[in-house]
Amino acid sequence: MQVRNSPTRYGVISMSLHWLMAIAVYGMFGLGLWMVTLSYYDGWYHQAPELHKSIGFMLMLALVVRLLWRRFSPVPPALKSQSRLTRLSAAAAHIALYAILFAILISGYLISTADGKPISVFGLFDVPALLADAGAQADLAGTVHLWLAWGVVILSVLHGLAAMKHHFIDKDATLTRMLGKASPDSGA
């Protein structure tokens, strides 16, 4: 399997980042929904948010690496068989997914540091708080965080459904390229 992307398929780094981040995002969504239901006396009441923050920071790093990797190893061009509208829709959806993910991670940081305390990442190192004494910041950021999390889940489900449509209805190589298989119908 090739490391870098080629004109006909994604490389192992792009595929790994894509699928690992997808799993992490859905895991974080589930963890976030679950942890807000915990009572103060639950054993996970303090542990779940710390885990959520640590994974969130690692997701931020992975997102930065993913965007840098896209510059170093450009994604395969759209398939020739795809319409202009399909190409524009796909590009807009990818930009929206990246933008929403960044906004979720930034709002999570603002929630976590509103009291001026740093974020401990798995107890290994701390990410400092840039703002302090911002209680209203935490409330607003929490609302934004929740709505954006739902937004990224809905948009990613649509992304997955579009990939399935390409695979089963259009019978093109959109999905198989993200699984490491070469596409004979490549290029712009």
Side-chain angles (χ1 to χ4, degrees), residues 89-160:
S89 299
H94 281 98
I95 290 168
L97 282 167
Y98 287 124
I100 293 170
L101 280 172
F102 266 118
I104 289 170
L105 295 164
I106 290 167
S107 63
Y109 171 81
L110 293 173
I111 296 165
S112 301
T113 60
D115 61 359
K117 295 178 186 168
I119 298 170
S120 173
V121 180
F122 298 113
L124 300 172
F125 60 91
D126 290 341
V127 177
L130 299 176
L131 301 173
D133 297 324
Q137 164 188 309
D139 293 338
L140 177 59
T143 301
V144 168
H145 194 73
L146 175 63
W147 285 105
L148 289 175
W150 275 104
V152 82
V153 165
I154 291 167
L155 188 55
S156 66
V157 166
L158 293 173
H159 174 72

Side-chain angles (χ1 to χ4, degrees), residues 163-188:
M164 295 296 150
K165 180 236 179 222
H166 281 286
H167 188 72
F168 293 110
I169 295 173
D170 299 342
K171 301 198 184 307
D172 69 23
T174 300
L175 178 61
T176 57
R177 292 193 314 174
M178 185 47 82
L179 299 173
K181 296 180 182 175
S183 153
D185 178 28
S186 65

